[in-house]
Amino acid sequence: MNAASPSPSASQSLSIRGVDVQFPFTPYECQLTYMTAVIEALQTSRNALLESPTGTGKTLCLLCATLSWRESLRGEKAAKIDLLAEAKRREDMMAADETTTARRLMADVRLHQAELDVGKLPTIIYASRTHSQLHQVMGELKRTSFARSVRTTVLSSRQQTCRHDVVKQIESGIALKMGCKSLVSKRACKFYNNTDQYLLDHNHGDGEEEGGATATATAKKTTGAASQVLDIEDLIKIGDHKTVCPYYVSRGMVSKADVIFLPYNYLIDPKTRAGLGIDWNDAVVIFDEAHNIESVCSGTASFDLPITVIAGSVVELGTAVEIMQSGMGDGTDNASKQDRKHVTNMRGMQLVLKKLEDIISSYDNSVTKPGEFIVELFRDLRLTDETWQTFEGVIDVAIDVLTEDAIESAVVSRITTTRLSTLRDCLGKVFSKTTRVDERDFSGYRVHIHKEKQEAIGYGIEGIMLPTLSFWCFDPGEGMEALREGNMNIRSILLTSGTLSPMSSFALELRTDFPIRLENPHVIDNKKQVWIGVVPKGPAGVTLNSSFKTRSDAGYLT
């Protein structure tokens, strides 16, 4: 097909590998090639690396090709039901005997299963690095014919969407989560309390488009959006307008969403991924702007733990102990006994953290050790898979106590639980829920104990060089491990960007098989549309010298 200038009025229906692809413009040749590669990967349940230069419309191509392929499955399933229904009709017409009775039963079962399965289409998980990039992707989706039929949701953190006046001031993500859960459990958040009814009224319950007429009207009133494709800003405006929680609204939409948008660190971080509530079976996972994925995979599995965080955690545990002791009864009831147990565990953890502080401080010079050293270090601290479960629980209780105290007093300090939250996040990266710590392969990691400048506001030590324990991952494949293994039963993983080459080393570093690979050319004809030359002088005949001495001269600027 010859390349042509895109025209919004020239909506195209393209046949690509037997799929009717709805595309809003007349496609360029490279766009056809790109969509062909996408559909081939999806039809064959294989992974793909798709490189296409900036300006080639890869996001629009990716959306149209993926959603058109997904829609084609609906027709295939309907055709399967027709065939099974015809087979059942023929079985019913045959004379009854023991054999035909069994065959009729099997025909009934197959038809019933197909009818149940007809509405189950693969979920599209669309990930990019930032929410601003996802905002642009959702803007592209609104330009397609799928904008009013596809059901979408966008996932974000409580920090980005919380509307509660006190809780949203909490800077620590874990502490904010604890504060949110505390209010939710008591039904003390008016935004959360209205969310269930809002979801019943607007979240696909009657088979209409997302939200039906009411939600679309609300979106138009509050956001000006012409469709139900709502980004974070849209959800926040609806949250304020309807007094509902944007965080729980977006999570409540997950089970019925056709497309789920989210930052890709949500997929790579195992703890975050486990809490998303996504049905991964046969799902299509797309990483847009995937040239950043290696650094994100490594960064998600790494941590830097300054000694100020360890010391601050000891202080916060002490504060939690004081609060709990002040509220204890006479010790005879079960609640008081449990609180005393928590207090004992918190004091025990304080001792462990002080010992860790001493070990790190004992190194006068920087030292780098193999990743396995972290196991030895934790063994000296008696931090094992079993004790970590107890310690993690202790940290959660302490954060919960401190956060609830701050909420009740309506005063949220910047450092209320920041250090305990950071400590929990760092140490938790060493422990896996599927593999014991002494059985994990840490060959792609390094432990680095060193001194670095501290930015610990509030302790009077800003700018001082203090010890830091760093645990660095140099194997990006660690982050892709769960996604590429078969237990999640993901259909295809598509990585796309303007720059993925060299693809062989890229795939090797991610330790993932990508049978389908595309390195697309640009839409520009290099021979006809690109001129390469040197312009030595400007319009006034002044030599174009951009050195520091001349770049402010009037002659150069004119």
Side-chain angles (χ1 to χ4, degrees), residues 231-533:
D231 61 21
I232 292 177
E233 289 75 17
D234 298 331
L235 289 171
I236 288 174
K237 288 178 181 178
I238 289 175
D240 291 338
H241 181 73
K242 293 290 186 180
T243 315
V244 295
C245 175
Y247 175 84
Y248 281 105
V249 165
S250 66
R251 299 289 168 132
M253 292 177 175
V254 164
S255 63
K256 295 182 180 178
D258 304 320
V259 184
I260 301 171
F261 295 98
L262 73 175
Y264 53 62
N265 62 295
Y266 285 28
L267 295 178
I268 295 168
D269 183 88
K271 292 184 178 179
T272 304
R273 184 178 62 243
L276 296 178
I278 294 174
D279 179 8
W280 300 102
N281 185 52
D282 205 32
V284 175
V285 177
I286 297 170
F287 288 93
D288 199 359
E289 302 300 332
H291 55 277
N292 294 306
I293 196 171
E294 294 167 299
S295 60
V296 173
C297 283
S298 296
T300 300
S302 305
F303 68 75
D304 294 299
L305 184 60
I307 200 170
T308 51
V309 170
I310 302 172
S313 297
V314 173
V315 172
E316 289 172 4
L317 284 167
T319 303
V321 166
E322 291 176 6
I323 294 172
M324 294 187 73
Q325 287 180 325
S326 66
M328 282 184 184
D330 58 9
T332 58
D333 58 286
N334 290 334
S336 294
K337 290 178 181 178
Q338 186 64 36
D339 285 346
R340 291 182 188 282
K341 182 178 180 181
H342 288 321
V343 166
T344 300
N345 287 336
M346 287 179 193
R347 285 174 171 162
M349 188 165 190
Q350 283 181 306
L351 296 176
V352 171
L353 293 178
K354 287 177 181 178
K355 183 175 180 181
L356 175 60
E357 190 177 345
D358 291 340
I359 292 173
I360 297 173
S361 300
S362 67
Y363 289 88
D364 295 326
N365 300 311
S366 296
V367 60
T368 302
K369 294 181 176 290
E372 291 76 10
F373 177 75
I374 199 75
V375 181
E376 299 175 22
L377 176 61
F378 281 10
R379 189 181 296 122
D380 289 344
L381 298 171
R382 295 185 180 178
L383 263 179
T384 64
D385 291 276
E386 290 74 24
T387 59
W388 169 245
Q389 292 181 16
T390 302
F391 279 13
E392 190 176 29
V394 168
I395 294 174
D396 287 345
V397 169
I399 291 174
D400 193 28
V401 168
L402 294 170
T403 304
E404 190 164 339
D405 181 70
I407 291 173
E408 288 178 357
S409 62
V411 178
V412 181
S413 168
R414 277 170 54 89
I415 59 173
T416 301
T417 58
T418 300
R419 285 150 184 84
L420 271 177
S421 300
T422 302
L423 178 78
R424 180 186 186 276
D425 183 55
C426 291
L427 299 186
K429 293 183 179 183
V430 179
F431 295 94
S432 167
K433 290 186 177 180
T434 57
T435 309
R436 292 184 59 84
V437 68
D438 53 1
E439 296 175 356
R440 282 189 63 185
D441 180 9
F442 290 115
S443 59
Y445 290 80
R446 292 294 181 272
V447 177
H448 185 52
I449 301 175
H450 58 111
K451 292 184 178 181
E452 65 177 31
K453 190 178 293 186
Q454 302 298 309
E455 304 294 338
I457 306 299
Y459 281 89
I461 55 174
E462 297 86 350
I464 296 177
M465 301 292 287
L466 291 175
T468 295
L469 171 65
S470 294
F471 183 62
W472 293 334
C473 176
F474 293 93
D475 180 7
E478 281 283 307
M480 294 291 289
E481 182 177 7
L483 294 178
R484 68 172 178 266
E485 290 182 351
N487 57 336
M488 292 179 68
N489 201 28
I490 290 173
R491 183 188 191 95
S492 298
I493 301 174
L494 310 183
L495 271 60
T496 186
S497 181
T499 51
L500 293 177
S501 299
M503 290 189 175
S504 296
S505 61
F506 191 87
L508 273 174
E509 288 195 14
L510 295 179
R511 290 195 272 129
T512 305
D513 185 29
F514 294 96
I516 296 176
R517 303 181 185 186
L518 172 67
E519 296 180 64
N520 234 353
H522 207 285
V523 293
I524 294 174
D525 186 332
N526 293 337
K527 295 181 179 179
K528 296 180 180 180
Q529 295 176 280
V530 177
W531 176 80
I532 300 174

Side-chain angles (χ1 to χ4, degrees), residues 195-215:
T195 298
D196 286 346
Q197 187 59 50
Y198 179 86
L199 288 170
L200 285 174
D201 293 341
H202 300 86
N203 192 23
H204 317 300
D206 55 5
E208 294 180 4
E209 293 176 4
E210 204 298 309
T214 305

